C-alpha cells in the first residue's frame, strides 16, 4: 500500500505494510533496488561498517555487558533475573554460542539495510531511550513505526509468524518492545523477524492493547534484584513421558542457572542428567532410572 506524501506531489512514501514483500522484490528478476545510487551506496556502506564493528566487538570482548537492568531483560522471568544480580556463577556458554550471537547481530544489520534498499525510511537507529531510570536502545523506526529486529530459529520464527508470541514469550520480547514503546510514548510498534535458516521474513505488529505497562514492572524488578531471597521458580517441572520421572521443561532447560535453581531436585541431590541421542535430559525426580548413560556432574 502506498500513500502520497503531503510534502511533495511527486514523492511516494512507502508504508511498513509492504515491507517484507518489498525486501523480497530486491532479489527478484523483475525487481531490484530502485533507490538512487547515492542512497544505495550509503546504506550498504553503513551496513558494512556496522557489521565490522559487531565483528570487532565480538572478537575483542567489547560486547560483554555489565549486570544491570536493561529494557532488553525486563521481560526475563523474575527468578532468572534475580540470579543474574547475585554472586552466582552461571553455566558457561558453549564456544559456538558466541558465533551464533554474532551471526544474529549480522542478520539484524542486513535486515535494516534491506529495508532501506527497498525504499523504506529507516530512522532513529540505536537511539537511546529511558523508562523509570532504565536505559535502552531501540533498533530504529521503519516508515515511522518503532521496530525491533530479531533473528530466530524456525521454531522461534513460527511464534512471530503465527502470533503465538502474544501468549508464549519465554524470552520476554513483548516486554522489551513494550518498554521501548512506553518510553517513546508510542501506541504501536512491530517486530521485524528473519528466519535465520530459510531467510523468510515476517512483520508482527504490537498495537496499543498489546503494549504492557512495563514502567510498573521495572519498579517491581528494582526491588526484586535487591532482595536476599529468590522469587519462586519460574516454571514447574514436567512429566517425562509415562516413565513416572519428571524433567525440566524447555524454558528451564535453556537457563544458565538451572543447576543452582534446581539444587533441591531429587531430594536435595540436584538435577540428574541423562544422555539421550536427541540430547541431554535433566531429571528432577527419578522413579525409574533411564536405560541411557548418566552424566555425573562434579
Amino acid at each position: 500500500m502506498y500513500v502520497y506524501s503531503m510534502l511533495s506531489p511527486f514523492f511516494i512514501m512507502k508504508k511498513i505494510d509492504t515491507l517484507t514483500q518489498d525486501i523480497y522484490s530486491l532479489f527478484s528478476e523483475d525487481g531490484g533496488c530502485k533507490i538512487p545510487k547515492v542512497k544505495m551506496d550509503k546504506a550498504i556502506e553503513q551496513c558494512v561498517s556496522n557489521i565490522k564493528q559487531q565483528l570487532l566487538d565480538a572478537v575483542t570482548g567489547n560486547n560483554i555487558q555489565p549486570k544491570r537492568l536493561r529494557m532488553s531483560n525486563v521481560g526475563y522471568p523474575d527468578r532468572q533475573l534475580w540470579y543474574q544480580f547475585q554472586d552466582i556463577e552461571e553455566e558457561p556458554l558453549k564456544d559456538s554460542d558466541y558465533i551464533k550471537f554474532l551471526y544474529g547481530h549480522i542478520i539484524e544489520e542486513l535486515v535494516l539495510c534491506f529495508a532501506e534498499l527497498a525504499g523504506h525510511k529507516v530512522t532513529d537507529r540505536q537511539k537511546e531511550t529511558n523508562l523509570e531510570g532504565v536505559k535502552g536502545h531501540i533498533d530504529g523506526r521503519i516508515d515511522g513505526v518503532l521496530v525491533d529486529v530479531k533473528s530466530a530459529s524456525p521454531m522461534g520464527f513460527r511464534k512471530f509468524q503465527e502470533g503465538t508470541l502474544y501468549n508464549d514469550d519465554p524470552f520476554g520480547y513483548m516486554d522489551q518492545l513494550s518498554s521501548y514503546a512506553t518510553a517513546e510514548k508510542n501506541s504501536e510498534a512491530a517486530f521485524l523477524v528473519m528466519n535465520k535458516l530459510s531467510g523468510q521474513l515476517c512483520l508482527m505488529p504490537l498495537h496499543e492493547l498489546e503494549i504492557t505497562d512495563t514502567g510498573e514492572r521495572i519498579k517491581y524488578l528494582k526491588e526484586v534484584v535487591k532482595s536476599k531471597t529468590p522469587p519462586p521458580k519460574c516454571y514447574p517441572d514436567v512429566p517425562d513421558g509415562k516413565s513416572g520421572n519428571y524433567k525440566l521443561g524447555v524454558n528451564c532447560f535453556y537457563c544458565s542457572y538451572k543447576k543452582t535453581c534446581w539444587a533441591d531436585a531429587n531430594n536435595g541431590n540436584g538435577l540428574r542428567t541423562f544422555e539421550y541421542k536427541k540430547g541431554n535430559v535433566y531429571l528432577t525426580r527419578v522413579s525409574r532410572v533411564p536405560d541411557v548413560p548418566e552424566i555425573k556432574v562434579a
Side-chain angles (χ1 to χ4, degrees), residues 225-275:
V225 298
K226 290 189 295 185
S227 173
K228 294 183 179 180
T229 305
K233 283 187 171 66
C234 310
Y235 306 99
D237 48 0
V238 298
D240 184 27
K242 298 180 180 179
S243 64
N245 298 334
Y246 278 74
K247 64 180 181 179
L248 295 186
V250 64
N251 295 325
C252 288
F253 180 93
Y254 287 107
C255 179
S256 54
Y257 297 101
K258 57 181 171 285
K259 292 177 183 176
T260 301
C261 183
W262 287 89
D264 58 347
N266 293 302
N267 297 316
N269 293 309
L271 295 171
R272 293 179 67 178
T273 310
F274 292 88
E275 186 178 13

Side-chain angles (χ1 to χ4, degrees), residues 16-17 145-147 160-161 163 165-166 174 177 187-193 202-208 210-211:
I16 199 169
D17 310 61
V145 178
L146 177 66
V147 168
F160 292 98
Q161 189 179 42
L165 187 75
Y166 293 125
M174 295 282 289
L177 187 50
S187 59
E188 64 172 351
F191 291 105
L192 176 57
V193 190
C202 78
L203 190 73
M204 176 184 154
L206 250 64
H207 302 295
E208 188 170 10
E210 288 120 18
I211 294 175

Side-chain angles (χ1 to χ4, degrees), residues 3 56 61 77 92 138 144 150 170 184 208 218 247 274 280 282 284:
V3 295
L56 284 171
I138 66 173
K150 302 290 186 190
E184 291 289 298
E208 188 170 10
I218 287 172
K247 64 180 181 179
F274 292 88
N280 293 344
Y282 299 94
T284 58

Side-chain angles (χ1 to χ4, degrees), residues 28 37 93 115 134 156 164 179 208 242 246 253 260 272 285:
S28 65
K37 188 176 185 304
L93 294 170
V134 172
T164 58
S179 296
E208 188 170 10
K242 298 180 180 179
Y246 278 74
F253 180 93
T260 301
R272 293 179 67 178
R285 287 178 271 174

Side-chain angles (χ1 to χ4, degrees), residues 166-197:
Y166 293 125
N167 302 309
D168 181 14
D169 182 24
F171 298 109
Y173 292 149
M174 295 282 289
D175 277 347
Q176 179 186 1
L177 187 50
S178 289
S179 296
Y180 297 145
T182 302
E184 291 289 298
K185 296 180 172 55
N186 292 155
S187 59
E188 64 172 351
F191 291 105
L192 176 57
V193 190
M194 176 182 277
N195 182 326
K196 55 189 172 185
L197 187 63

Side-chain angles (χ1 to χ4, degrees), residues 13-32:
M13 181 184 295
K14 291 191 175 182
K15 292 185 69 176
I16 199 169
D17 310 61
T18 66
L19 177 61
T20 56
Q21 190 55 53
D22 290 340
I23 291 176
Y24 291 148
S25 294
L26 286 171
F27 305 95
S28 65
E29 290 184 5
D30 57 347

